[in-house]
Amino acid sequence: MECERGQTKWQFRQKSSFTAGNLAVRAVVNKVMENVDNSNGKPIIALGNGDPSKFSCFRISERAEDAIVSAVRSAKYNGYAFSAGMPCARSAIAEYLNKDLPYKLSPDDVYATIGCSQAIEILLSVLARPGANILLPRPGYPYYEARAALSKLEVRHFNLVPERGWEVDLDNVYALADENTVAMVIINPGNPCGNVLSYPHLKKIAETAKKLGIMVIADEVYDHLAFGSNPFVPMGVFGAIAPVITLGSISKRLVVPGWRLGWMVRNDPNGILKETKIAESIENFLNITVSPTTFIQGAFPHILENTRGRFSNKIIDVLRQTSDICYQKLEDIDCITCPHKPDGSMFVMVKLNLSYLEGITDCVDFCCKLAKEESVIILPGVAVGLKNWLRITFAIDPFSLNAGLDRMKSFCLRHAKLNQ
Ligand SMILES: *Cc1c(COP(=O)(O)O)cnc(C)c1O
């Protein structure tokens, strides 16, 4: 008997490498970073990602750090956690959110997750069924598109309106929704827009969702990071109008994205999510996925206690200050217009006017050349759904922010079209 010779034909070969829809923000930032020219002697100023954890002015309180040490030392957190989260963490999250709600959440309404990202992943997986679609904001946060693509959940984009403080275009939402729409997503305070939605507008969103028979997924990962005229109002306030699932985490609010603790919460006083079996499906899904690290959950009540007040106010004060610097410096650059002064989160979205520039083809080209010539990293708007816009983070120490924006200005002057 003769065996066939030659090379093995590997059966797991793929036609192209794995991608999930759009590139994640991080991947686009890395691509922009590749252009940095280390020989120009300029240290990199990163205005691409919203992770200011390395700056001392954003460092979490020492007592919150101690809470983790104590949790580890107690030896109470060495086992597996319950899949929906440890009771101490679920209660603390419920209590934290209850301060801003007209009704009371129970710990059973709360699921602890590995950051807000895992909450998005679980929820979109649970909502996906053949033919279903979800409404996402444009511009938005591309992790939603990526997770929807993986779950084969169809995405339809509604617009945010820059001239109206990036409010949701509700007519657009009506026009897009049909009988297969399961949910709409809002991100408030906004990423990438840096806006904070008003109480009346949030109420209109809830009423729209009710008319359409869909739930609202409220990504509030930047909760309370509001420093303008609109106070932060959680979408859960309107949970009696339409069911709301609130997603959050300590990543941005407490500036510890590496700690990986988040939540997914049913803001649904009428029990619609139970009736429609969504609650049960989430719980079943949680049984087949992993939970956040136990000692972070165990420490969480103390982390909250030790970040209230001074720490929280300081973060908001720094962001208010840096958002002002950012807005003023950008106003001074001819090829950039900023339709809305940021009043929340860590970002501002600005429009690039290519007609003012010589030899720059689009927002990606702008960001790559800026990285090469000035070692300043910002995110091309196309990564968040708006071509020829730019997303800039101001969550960075004021000194570096000033320097970064000065370099951006000299870049724009150097590339300005003559006789403009
Ligand atoms: C950063 C971010 C997330 C992810 O948060 P993690 O807690 O780090 O997983 C989710 N949504 C938005 C809008 C974000 O900006």
Side-chain angles (χ1 to χ4, degrees):
M1 213 160 64
E2 213 179 4
C3 287
E4 203 175 303
R5 306 198 53 179
Q7 274 194 320
T8 308
K9 191 165 173 279
W10 300 114
Q11 305 201 84
F12 45 80
R13 181 174 300 280
Q14 300 192 329
K15 285 206 181 80
S16 61
S17 67
F18 168 83
T19 57
N22 296 7
L23 278 179
V25 166
R26 226 174 299 163
V28 178
V29 169
N30 289 345
K31 282 211 174 305
V32 171
M33 286 278 258
E34 282 168 16
N35 293 280
V36 169
D37 175 4
N38 290 318
S39 67
N40 70 13
K42 293 175 182 162
I44 293 176
I45 298 181
L47 307 179
N49 280 331
D51 177 4
S53 56
K54 68 168 187 270
F55 301 105
S56 60
C57 58
F58 288 97
R59 181 163 171 187
I60 196 166
S61 71
E62 208 168 300
R63 283 187 166 178
E65 294 169 358
D66 289 342
I68 293 189
V69 177
S70 307
V72 173
R73 278 272 153 79
S74 73
K76 282 198 281 188
Y77 304 104
N78 294 343
Y80 283 112
F82 294 111
S83 47
M86 302 181 82
C88 60
R90 297 176 82 185
S91 308
I93 294 164
E95 218 175 287
Y96 170 70
L97 298 173
N98 276 340
K99 284 196 212 86
D100 302 311
L101 292 174
Y103 54 89
K104 291 287 164 248
L105 295 168
S106 110
D108 293 341
D109 296 321
V110 174
Y111 309 108
T113 58
I114 306 175
C116 185
S117 306
Q118 194 199 23
I120 298 170
E121 170 189 336
I122 294 169
L123 191 51
L124 266 48
S125 307
V126 163
L127 290 176
R129 54 175 160 74
N133 67 73
I134 188 167
L135 310 183
L136 300 182
R138 179 171 48 212
Y141 183 65
Y143 192 73
Y144 285 93
E145 280 79 357
R147 289 313 317 186
L150 278 174
S151 298
K152 302 200 169 27
L153 184 57
E154 184 199 334
V155 166
R156 297 182 183 178
H157 288 108
F158 59 84
N159 294 319
L160 304 182
V161 190
E163 299 78 21
R164 293 208 310 257
W166 296 104
E167 281 187 354
V168 173
D169 181 344
L170 291 169
D171 294 335
N172 196 194
V173 170
Y174 275 114
L176 290 169
D178 62 17
E179 68 282 3
N180 291 315
T181 305
V182 290
M184 67 181 286
V185 172
I186 60 159
I187 303 171
N188 182 48
N191 177 8
C193 302
N195 61 324
V196 178
L197 296 173
S198 70
Y199 185 102
H201 186 66
L202 290 167
K203 188 164 180 215
K204 273 191 209 148
I205 291 174
E207 284 159 355
T208 305
K210 184 185 165 78
K211 277 193 200 133
L212 296 170
I214 63 177
M215 74 171 82
V216 179
I217 299 173
D219 184 325
E220 293 175 0
V221 78
Y222 298 95
D223 69 332
H224 295 281
L225 296 182
F227 32 85
S229 51
N230 285 345
F232 167 70
V233 177
M235 189 71 210
V237 164
F238 308 101
I241 300 177
V244 174
I245 296 188
T246 301
L247 314 181
S249 81
I250 60 172
S251 303
K252 313 290 167 63
R253 175 83 167 97
L254 304 184
V255 204
V256 283
W259 291 9
R260 310 307 305 138
L261 182 66
W263 49 83
M264 169 167 39
V265 176
R266 288 188 277 119
N267 282 103
D268 178 32
N270 299 327
I272 292 158
L273 295 169
K274 275 203 169 142
E275 193 185 304
T276 54
K277 299 248 190 316
I278 295 296
E280 201 180 315
S281 303
I282 290 172
E283 282 155 26
N284 290 340
F285 196 101
L286 285 163
N287 283 327
I288 53 160
T289 186
V290 283
S291 321
T293 304
T294 48
F295 52 82
I296 304 286
Q297 295 193 55
F300 184 62
H302 310 289
I303 293 172
L304 273 184
E305 268 163 40
N306 291 299
T307 46
R308 266 189 217 131
R310 248 188 41 215
F311 172 77
S312 288
N313 294 339
K314 189 182 76 176
I315 297 297
I316 291 167
D317 286 345
V318 176
L319 290 174
R320 181 183 292 114
Q321 186 198 353
T322 55
S323 67
D324 280 345
I325 295 174
C326 193
Y327 184 69
Q328 278 160 16
K329 291 251 168 190
L330 290 170
E331 286 266 275
D332 209 27
I333 302 179
D334 283 345
C335 62
I336 281 172
T337 43
C338 179
H340 178 75
K341 183 175 191 286
D343 46 19
S345 89
M346 301 177 169
F347 306 99
V348 61
M349 225 19 218
V350 294
K351 195 170 179 8
L352 184 60
N353 306 316
L354 288 168
S355 63
Y356 283 65
L357 296 166
E358 192 73 63
I360 304 275
T361 53
D362 58 20
C363 59
V364 175
D365 191 35
F366 181 92
C367 293
C368 290
K369 287 180 175 150
L370 179 67
K372 184 171 161 47
E373 295 175 28
E374 298 289 347
S375 304
V376 172
I377 312 298
I378 58 172
L379 188 73
V382 71
V384 292
L386 280 192
K387 196 172 176 201
N388 294 338
W389 285 67
L390 306 167
R391 189 194 75 170
I392 298 164
T393 180
F394 46 80
I396 166 172
D397 76 287
F399 180 81
S400 311
L401 181 64
N402 266 310
L405 294 170
D406 285 343
R407 287 196 215 160
M408 191 162 148
K409 184 174 178 181
S410 32
F411 173 86
C412 291
L413 286 173
R414 202 159 55 242
H415 292 272
K417 223 171 235 173
L418 298 174
N419 60 43
Q420 183 73 49

